[in-house]
Amino acid sequence: MIMKKRRISILGSTGSIGRQALDIVARHPDRFEVAALSAHSRSDELFEQIRAFRPKAAGLSGDRAEIPADLRGLDWYFGKDCLERIASEVDCDDVLVSVVGIAGLDSVISARKAGKRVLLANKEALVAGGQLVMDLCPQDNEDPVLIPVDSEHSAIYQCLLANKGNPFTKIILTASGGPFRTWTLDKIQDAGINEALNHPNWSMGQKITIDSASMFNKALEMIEARWLFHAKPEQIEVIIHPQSIIHSLVEFVDGVQLAQLGVPDMRAPIAFAMAYPDRISTGSDPLRLDQTGILSFEAPDLTRFPALRLSMEAMKQGGAAPCVLNAANEVAVDLFLKERIRFGDINRIVEESLNRKGHLRADSLSAVHEADAIARETALSLVGV
Ligand code: NDP
Ligand code: MG
C-alpha cells in the first residue's frame, strides 16, 4: 500500500528539537515531506536544511539575510509575524512548533485556527497562553489536534492512550534534578554558566538547559501538563529521578501507576508525535534495563529549588500569573547568560515579578502579550536594566 506522506512545517528547524525532527524525516522519506522550515538567526544552517529537504516555503524570523540565488524560488517569509503566517498559509498537515520562548504562542494559535495539527515542543506557549490554546483544541476530535513533544508530556499522553479513557487521579512528572541536584543552596546561588549548562542526561538548547538547572523547566512543565491534560494543580506532582529513564507516570483511582520508559533521546517523543498513531524507528538505542542498573527516586527540595513552589502558586492564582512567571524567567535566563546576574537571582526575579504583576489578566491574546511585556519590564527593573 502506498502511504500518503504527512507534510510537516518545522518552526525553529535550526534548534535542538528542529534538527532532531529533520533527522526523523531523513530516516523516513517515505512517510514525511517537509512543507516549510524556519530559523531565527542561523540563516546559513537554514539554507543547508532547505537544500537537503526541499520545502516549498521558508522563514527567517530574526534579521533579514541575503537569500542565495539557488533558493530564491521558495515562498519566503520574513520578520516578526513570519511564524504565524507560515503556520496558517503554508499547506501542510502538521506544524511542529520548536522555537524557544513566548515566540511560539502566536504560531500555535494560528496553526490551530487554520485547522492544522500542532506537534508542540514549545512549552512556553502553553504556560503563557494555555487557556487560549486549549480553547482551540477540542478534546472530542477523532484525530488529535495537539500532540505533546516534551518527553514527560509525551510519556503521560502515551500512558493515557493505553488506559482507554479512564480518568487519572494524579500526574507525576519526573525530573532529573539537573546539574545542581546535590549542591547546597549557597553553592547554587553562585553557580557559573558552564556549570549550569552541564546537564547530566540531555543535550538541549541553552535556555531549556539553564531552566533544567534552576528547575524552572519542571515548573513550566507542571503548567504545561495542567493545560494539556485538563488537570487540577493539586493533581500534579514532581519526583526526582536522576537517571531520566522513566519519563513520567500517571496514577489511577485504583492506586496503580502507569509509566513510560526509554533512554533519554528526544527523537523518541518527536517521532511519536510525527508518526502518530504509528511507532517508527528513531535511531535511538533500545532501553536495556540490565545495563541501566538502579533507578532511584527522591522528593524535590523546594528550599533549594523554589521554582516548583512558584509554579504551584502561579497555577493556583491563574490569570496571567503563569505568563508572568514565564516572562520573568525568560528575562532572568537571558541576563544570567549575559553574566549580568547571579544564578540565584533567577528565583528572586521571578518571585518578585509574580508578587508585583501576578494579578494581571490573560483572557485574550492581546492581554497575554500585554502581561508578558509588563512582566519583562518589571523583571528588568528589578536588576536596574
Ligand atoms: P534551541 O535554542 O536549540 O532552538 C530554538 C529554535 O528557535 C532555533 O531554531 C532558533 O533559531 C529559534 N528561535 C530562537 N529565538 C527565536 C525567536 N525569538 N523567534 C523565532 N524563533 C526563534 O531550543 P530547543 O530546540 O532546545 O527548544 C525548543 C523548544 O522546545 C523550547 O520551548 C524547549 O523548552 C522545548 N523543548 C526542548 C527539548 C530539547 O531537548 N531541546 C526538550 C523538551 C522541550 P536560530 O537557531 O536560527 O537562532
Ligand atoms: Mg521535558
Side-chain angles (χ1 to χ4, degrees):
M1 194 182 73
I2 298 176
M3 196 181 341
K4 190 171 172 293
K5 290 188 186 182
R6 281 198 81 85
R7 296 158 305 163
I8 183 168
S9 293
I10 304 179
L11 306 180
S13 61
T14 45
S16 159
I17 295 287
R19 290 194 310 266
Q20 294 180 82
L22 285 173
D23 180 67
I24 299 295
V25 173
R27 287 169 191 277
H28 297 279
D30 52 325
R31 275 186 172 266
F32 304 112
E33 186 179 308
V34 176
L37 295 173
S38 93
H40 192 66
S41 60
R42 285 180 267 187
S43 50
D44 286 342
E45 192 171 336
L46 176 70
F47 299 150
E48 285 313 310
Q49 291 180 341
I50 295 172
R51 291 188 181 102
F53 292 93
R54 299 271 152 218
K56 291 195 186 67
L60 267 173
S61 47
D63 290 342
R64 201 162 171 151
E66 170 80 11
I67 306 302
D70 61 318
L71 303 181
R72 289 193 192 137
L74 272 75
D75 293 333
W76 277 97
Y77 292 80
F78 297 103
K80 216 172 166 306
D81 65 352
C82 101
L83 301 180
E84 53 189 287
R85 289 185 55 218
I86 293 175
S88 70
E89 291 173 21
V90 176
D91 195 19
C92 69
D93 303 298
D94 300 330
V95 179
L96 170 61
V97 182
S98 52
V99 299
V100 61
I102 184 115
L105 176 60
D106 290 24
S107 53
V108 173
I109 289 188
S110 154
R112 279 305 308 133
K113 283 190 172 159
K116 288 159 185 163
R117 178 185 283 174
V118 172
L119 315 182
L120 189 64
N122 174 280
K123 61 195 81 185
E124 295 90 344
L126 273 184
V127 173
Q131 184 69 66
L132 304 175
V133 173
M134 295 316 289
D135 285 349
L136 295 168
C137 298
Q139 267 188 295
D140 51 4
N141 222 58
E142 200 177 320
D143 278 334
V145 296
L146 176 67
I147 305 185
V149 167
D150 210 346
S151 58
E152 296 77 359
H153 305 74
S154 176
I156 294 159
Y157 191 88
Q158 293 177 51
C159 292
L160 291 174
L161 275 181
N163 201 48
K164 301 207 183 284
N166 275 294
F168 59 81
T169 49
K170 225 192 260 178
I171 281 175
I172 304 160
L173 295 166
T174 50
S176 71
F180 307 146
R181 179 175 63 90
T182 58
W183 287 29
T184 62
L185 183 57
D186 271 356
K187 199 171 166 204
I188 294 173
Q189 300 301 310
D190 285 311
I193 292 179
N194 290 335
E195 290 167 320
L197 286 175
N198 184 24
H199 196 282
N201 303 342
W202 298 94
S203 159
M204 310 178 283
Q206 276 202 334
K207 194 255 174 184
I208 182 174
T209 308
I210 299 297
D211 284 348
S212 299
S214 63
M215 291 207 64
F216 267 106
N217 183 46
K218 214 48 57 180
L220 301 177
E221 289 183 356
M222 290 164 68
I223 303 169
E224 184 185 11
R226 177 239 182 290
W227 289 115
L228 279 173
F229 305 112
H230 304 274
K232 298 190 187 83
E234 51 280 7
Q235 288 179 303
I236 299 173
E237 281 182 10
V238 171
I239 187 160
I240 307 294
H241 166 46
Q243 297 81 13
S244 299
I245 296 293
I246 295 184
H247 296 309
S248 277
L249 309 95
V250 180
E251 187 173 292
F252 298 95
V253 69
D254 53 4
V256 167
Q257 297 182 353
L258 294 188
Q260 187 255 6
L261 289 74
V263 295
D265 185 331
M266 281 308 293
R267 287 176 302 180
I270 294 170
F272 179 83
M274 286 171 64
Y276 179 92
D278 298 340
R279 289 191 181 268
I280 57 174
S281 61
T282 64
S284 163
D285 294 330
L287 178 62
R288 290 285 311 272
L289 282 174
D290 55 342
Q291 287 170 13
T292 308
I294 291 168
L295 299 184
S296 58
F297 305 91
E298 54 199 68
D301 179 342
L302 303 191
T303 309
R304 287 183 304 131
F305 298 103
L308 303 180
R309 170 179 58 79
L310 294 175
S311 173
M312 191 52 79
E313 287 170 10
M315 266 196 286
K316 288 186 173 163
Q317 183 168 359
C323 169
V324 169
L325 175 143
N326 177 65
N329 180 55
E330 284 193 33
V331 168
V333 171
D334 188 52
L335 291 170
F336 173 69
L337 286 168
K338 290 178 175 149
E339 298 188 63
R340 304 281 298 269
I341 59 170
R342 297 186 314 152
F343 189 77
D345 291 332
I346 297 176
N347 292 317
R348 187 179 61 79
I349 289 171
V350 175
E351 181 151 22
E352 190 51 31
S353 301
L354 269 173
N355 288 342
R356 293 190 189 188
K357 303 294 173 188
H359 60 276
L360 293 170
R361 292 187 305 118
D363 47 7
S364 67
L365 191 53
S366 56
V368 169
H369 282 303
E370 199 177 316
D372 176 78
I374 293 172
R376 281 168 199 272
E377 264 172 43
T378 306
L380 285 170
S381 72
L382 291 171
V383 283
V385 178

